Amino acid sequence: MIKQNSLYVPVGEGHQLHLRHIYHGQHSGPAVLFIHGAVENGKIFYTQSNKGLAPFLASQGYQCFVADLRGRGDSKPAISKGDTHGQTESIVEDIPAILQFITAKTGNRPQFWVAHSWGGVLLNSVFARFPNEIEHVSACVYFGTKRSLYNRHPEKLLKANLIWYTLAFWQVNKHGYLPAKRLKWGSDNETRKSHAQSVQWAKRLPWVDSDDGFDYAAALKDRALPPTLHIAGVKDKALAQPIDIKKFMAESGTGIQEIVVYGRRYGHQHDYDHINMLTHSAARHDQFSDILAWFERFGQVPSV
């Protein structure tokens, strides 16, 4: 039986990060950390009725920890106009605090890291800042992760150039934060700072932190990161085409990296896009099954 419960990790001044613990019965298999992307939260990875990637992996014996970053999902308090935190805090404070919490609970660092979209940028940024974490991770899987956008598809011009780079700033100035959920631009909101910082990197500007000038690209240039499987969808035209993902792979160190594009033309059951690569019912037969093989190739195999 798959079980779920909510845990909370204290960070910053009065913030509580929500961590959804999803596991099989009393089993305590290898831990998997899940990090969502921008204008999203951890529910991209699960439903309370046990659909999605995290319950799927839990059914195979993995112990899953799905994070809601600061102010998102069930983290407390929700994002408001007075918030000053951004992606730097996610990299330097939130994710390290989550790793410490999981270690205290399970006795080990998470063996596998999984991310959707911008979450993969945050995780590789953690590897750059805290290279000692690399030795604890057997493998990573990133769904539709890119840092900078290089494709010129019309949908990209609409969603990135017009909405994210232009209209979103108007909304932020009006409300003090980006109300992306109300605008139906995503499943959750963003702070002024997190939006501005993500725009900077998406526009192909250097992978450098706007807070303290830390150069992530330089830190990773000659460093081998854990083996990483990059998942792309044939219908993901705007936010993570293979050209965008491959550019991110090129600046993510010297380790093993593979990209697989999922769609009917490649023998898969569905033509996946940026969101349903994680939410479509057929994914368990396509990319979810391939994730199991990736984990088994590089890490410990749980016994259910």
Side-chain angles (χ1 to χ4, degrees):
M1 177 185 294
I2 304 301
K3 297 183 179 180
Q4 298 189 24
N5 56 65
S6 289
L7 310 170
Y8 288 90
V9 183
V11 293
E13 298 180 359
H15 285 273
Q16 297 280 329
L17 304 179
H18 174 248
L19 200 61
R20 193 70 170 176
H21 186 202
I22 305 174
Y23 55 101
H24 183 270
Q26 299 301 316
H27 191 78
S28 56
V32 186
L33 169 66
F34 296 78
I35 298 292
H36 62 81
V39 295
E40 290 289 343
N41 56 52
K43 290 185 176 66
I44 190 74
F45 297 111
Y46 73 96
T47 68
Q48 292 189 355
S49 59
N50 290 324
K51 296 177 182 177
L53 177 59
F56 172 82
L57 290 178
S59 72
Q60 303 299 311
Y62 292 92
Q63 192 173 184
C64 300
F65 293 89
V66 184
D68 287 327
L69 294 175
R70 200 177 304 195
R72 281 81 150 198
D74 291 324
S75 293
K76 305 172 184 178
I79 287 172
S80 67
K81 68 177 183 179
D83 287 324
T84 58
H85 57 84
Q87 67 182 21
T88 304
E89 285 74 17
S90 296
I91 296 164
V92 176
E93 298 178 15
D94 293 2
I95 296 173
I98 289 167
L99 292 171
Q100 284 293 112
F101 183 91
I102 295 171
T103 303
K105 183 171 181 60
T106 67
N108 295 290
R109 280 288 201 262
Q111 188 177 350
F112 303 100
W113 289 8
V114 176
H116 177 236
S117 196
W118 201 254
V121 178
L122 298 180
L123 289 183
N124 277 10
S125 297
V126 170
F127 283 136
R129 287 262 190 181
F130 307 103
N132 58 303
E133 296 293 348
I134 297 171
E135 65 186 80
H136 300 295
V137 183
S138 296
C140 299
V141 176
Y142 295 165
F143 285 78
T145 290
K146 53 76 190 57
R147 184 179 76 84
S148 299
L149 285 164
Y150 289 84
N151 80 79
R152 301 292 298 172
H153 193 275
E155 190 177 342
K156 176 263 180 183
L157 299 178
L158 170 65
K159 292 183 176 179
N161 295 57
L162 178 60
I163 293 177
W164 196 245
Y165 300 164
T166 307
L167 296 180
F169 278 107
W170 180 78
Q171 290 289 332
V172 167
N173 289 332
K174 180 180 179 182
H175 300 283
Y177 69 102
L178 180 59
K181 184 176 181 179
R182 192 179 74 198
L183 295 167
K184 301 187 186 306
W185 291 353
S187 299
D188 220 311
N189 302 322
E190 291 291 322
T191 65
R192 178 189 298 271
K193 181 179 176 182
S194 61
H195 169 252
Q197 288 185 313
S198 67
V199 167
Q200 180 187 36
W201 286 357
K203 283 185 170 182
R204 307 188 212 173
L205 293 176
W207 194 359
V208 173
D209 201 284
S210 60
D211 274 15
D212 62 5
F214 184 88
D215 192 328
Y216 297 94
L220 293 180
K221 186 174 184 297
D222 299 311
R223 184 166 288 151
L225 299 189
T228 303
L229 174 64
H230 289 267
I231 291 173
V234 295
K235 284 194 171 181
D236 191 353
K237 300 298 185 182
L239 300 177
Q241 284 197 34
I243 183 177
D244 307 313
I245 296 172
K246 289 176 181 177
K247 290 286 189 179
F248 179 62
M249 293 167 65
E251 63 183 2
S252 293
T254 62
I256 297 169
Q257 297 190 78
E258 294 182 12
I259 179 173
V260 180
V261 183
Y262 287 83
R264 288 192 175 96
R265 75 186 72 164
Y266 302 110
H268 303 117
Q269 296 191 18
H270 184 72
D271 289 331
Y272 297 96
D273 62 26
H274 195 67
I275 298 298
N276 70 23
M277 60 172 63
L278 273 164
T279 62
H280 197 280
S281 59
R284 64 188 294 115
H285 305 291
D286 292 329
Q287 50 268 42
F288 291 7
S289 294
D290 289 348
I291 289 172
L292 287 178
W294 189 258
F295 284 179
E296 291 170 5
R297 177 178 168 188
F298 294 106
Q300 176 187 349
V301 180
S303 56
V304 181

